[in-house]
Amino acid sequence: MYWAWPHIKIGDKEYESWTARGELKQVFRRFTAQRADEQSAELGIENAWLVGNQPVMREEIRLRVRRSAGDARSIDVRAEWTPLEAPVTLSGAEGKSYGGFNFRFGSRKRPEITVPPDAELPADVTANEGRVSGDLLVTRLAWADFTGDFQGSSGPSGAAIFLHPQHPDFPPTWMARHYGLMSVGWPGVEPRTFAVG
């Protein structure tokens, strides 16, 4: 689970956080919450986006994990970003909409049938309108679920992502790929600029 964008504009310069190889770095600053008991846990984190040594964005993340039935867990994620010195413009990948909240899945088990070693293994993607047969690109969804047989598991498992109805631009555009990526592409392919503060 991570958040990253292929297009980030600060002032007149373009950056990206998708490959984590450019000038823009996301740096841990401090914990804002740490609590756990047998039924739930909460973790709050404040990070900074830096260009060189200059903070350009404050990132505040809150994760709350709760036990559900059986082996299931629910995880609430709240993320806030605040530009510090200059407006920040975010946008996702053209024609695909990845960029924003992302969930990648691990390797799946090889089937009993003969499949080339480099072949992508099928998995089940289900979204608000039912089961999906192909990849989803720039598709407005309120939720999506990815299920497969993963290495190390005794049977099918997976994860579903549900967006709160108060999420900006609800429902936002997504990209879901059967190889194991679900991406809530917000603000999507149309750039959005956020003012300082």
Side-chain angles (χ1 to χ4, degrees):
M1 179 174 62
Y2 63 99
W3 28 93
W5 288 267
H7 302 289
I8 301 169
K9 190 173 180 185
I10 302 169
D12 58 356
K13 290 196 72 177
E14 178 92 16
Y15 303 94
E16 59 88 18
S17 59
W18 190 258
T19 64
R21 293 189 189 124
E23 292 179 71
L24 182 71
K25 303 292 181 204
Q26 291 165 295
V27 179
F28 170 80
R29 287 293 198 218
R30 66 186 180 104
F31 290 109
T32 58
Q34 290 178 294
R35 182 200 57 77
D37 59 35
E38 290 187 18
Q39 296 301 315
S40 65
E42 190 169 0
L43 180 65
I45 302 167
E46 182 180 315
N47 296 324
W49 291 12
L50 304 178
V51 174
N53 291 323
Q54 180 68 37
V56 295
M57 181 86 84
R58 182 175 57 248
E59 177 178 273
E60 297 174 83
I61 307 299
R62 182 74 55 135
L63 304 171
R64 189 174 10 170
V65 182
R66 290 186 300 261
R67 286 183 184 244
S68 297
D71 291 338
R73 302 285 183 271
S74 65
I75 304 173
D76 292 328
V77 179
R78 181 179 175 90
E80 293 184 26
W81 293 273
T82 306
L84 299 174
E85 300 293 328
V88 175
T89 301
L90 302 175
S91 63
E94 302 82 358
K96 296 179 183 178
S97 194
Y98 68 78
F101 180 84
N102 303 280
F103 200 105
R104 278 197 186 262
F105 293 83
S107 300
R108 292 188 298 285
K109 294 178 183 175
R110 303 302 301 172
E112 300 297 325
I113 58 171
T114 303
V115 176
D118 59 345
E120 290 181 1
L121 297 176
D124 290 329
V125 175
T126 305
N128 1 334
E129 296 182 10
R131 202 164 188 182
V132 177
S133 60
D135 290 343
L136 297 173
L137 304 175
V138 194
T139 305
R140 290 198 177 276
L141 300 172
W143 65 273
D145 176 274
F146 186 98
T147 301
D149 281 328
F150 297 94
Q151 292 180 9
S153 66
S154 60
S157 65
I161 298 173
F162 299 91
L163 296 175
H164 195 282
Q166 292 177 344
H167 186 285
D169 302 324
F170 184 83
T173 58
W174 291 49
M175 182 177 85
R177 292 254 160 125
H178 281 78
Y179 68 76
L181 171 68
M182 288 197 302
S183 178
V184 180
W186 187 81
V189 296
E190 296 296 323
R192 173 155 312 171
T193 301
F194 301 90
V196 172

